[in-house]
Amino acid sequence: MSTPPSLHALISALKTLPGIGPKSAQRMAFYLMQRDQKGAADLATALNNALGKLKHCSLCNTFAEVDLCDICSDDKRQHNLLCVVEMPTDLMMLEQTLAFHGRYFVLMGRLSPLDGIGPSDIALQRLLERASDGIVEEVILATNFTTEGEATAHYLAEMLRARGLKVSRIARGMPVGGELEHVDAGTLAQAMLERRSV
């Protein structure tokens, strides 16, 4: 049985989502068409709306509907501290902690030579311009602790230090409420290395 072209196109579009393979995309497409056509229409409207309205904040590069996002337009934030993250979701997680009161820059990715993502594929030039504005005094690198995140942090640290900026990296260690027997050896070793006096 051949799949109608419009259904095939929907399945192909759903496969572009991270973590969605052919079978999951097919199940989603059939569910939306058979069981939840209103949900499908709402999804289509929301996607169209987002594509039409969202752009990048001119300062931090996150998604916004206006030139400056809420964080960048907040005068109460510390202008001299700049926290660099990979994605807008990372910014959102840091904001939930209520522990950082500076400003952000979102790279919209990370260096990953194996995936063909180099320095020109993420917003490095915009970051360098932003960090060199004469206001920023310290850049906090909050990229993920993956191989790619570490490589990105190292690359950024070298470039930013060469411009005379103070560069720091978020710490790694034990999760709050974590028990030693359930923590992986790498995290435990890093926690021991980054210990501080109490």
Side-chain angles (χ1 to χ4, degrees):
M1 177 180 143
S2 67
T3 306
S6 56
L7 184 58
H8 180 72
L10 176 59
I11 292 168
S12 295
L14 290 168
K15 282 194 298 189
T16 65
L17 296 171
I20 303 298
K23 292 287 184 191
S24 295
Q26 188 177 44
R27 273 194 303 276
M28 287 179 188
F30 280 113
Y31 174 81
L32 288 169
M33 291 298 95
Q34 184 177 351
R35 302 260 186 239
D36 193 4
Q37 287 192 357
K38 183 188 179 319
D42 291 346
L43 178 61
T45 300
L47 278 170
N48 255 348
N49 194 29
L51 286 169
K53 290 185 176 181
L54 288 177
K55 57 185 179 178
H56 293 282
C57 171
S58 63
L59 274 183
C60 75
N61 202 39
T62 195
F63 290 117
E65 291 185 3
V66 291
D67 188 50
L68 287 179
C69 70
D70 290 344
I71 293 172
C72 288
S73 59
D74 183 355
D75 288 333
K76 294 177 185 154
R77 306 290 296 213
Q78 291 175 272
H79 296 233
N80 62 332
L81 290 177
L82 186 66
C83 181
V84 179
V85 296
E86 293 177 17
M87 300 298 290
T89 49
D90 302 326
L91 183 157
M92 291 166 59
M93 286 303 297
L94 281 169
E95 277 298 286
Q96 286 178 22
T97 69
L98 304 175
F100 180 68
H101 306 290
R103 290 190 168 172
Y104 295 93
F105 188 86
V106 182
L107 293 170
M108 293 293 177
R110 62 183 175 261
L111 297 176
S112 181
L114 293 176
D115 297 318
I117 301 170
S120 62
D121 299 309
I122 58 177
L124 290 186
Q125 190 56 44
R126 283 192 61 199
L127 168 62
L128 292 176
E129 291 167 11
R130 173 81 176 88
S132 305
D133 64 1
I135 298 169
V136 174
E137 295 172 6
E138 179 181 359
V139 179
I140 302 163
L141 302 176
T143 56
N144 293 314
F145 289 105
T146 60
T147 303
E148 295 88 355
E150 290 285 3
T152 303
H154 179 74
Y155 187 86
L156 292 176
E158 294 294 317
M159 292 176 67
L160 294 165
R161 282 192 192 107
R163 285 166 171 73
L165 290 161
K166 178 182 177 186
V167 181
S168 58
R169 179 88 166 104
I170 59 170
R172 299 179 271 195
M174 293 286 297
V176 174
E179 297 179 13
L180 292 180
E181 67 178 298
H182 300 296
V183 176
D184 66 278
T187 300
L188 192 54
Q190 200 64 42
M192 186 60 76
L193 290 171
E194 296 184 17
R195 68 189 182 277
R196 57 186 171 82
S197 55
V198 292

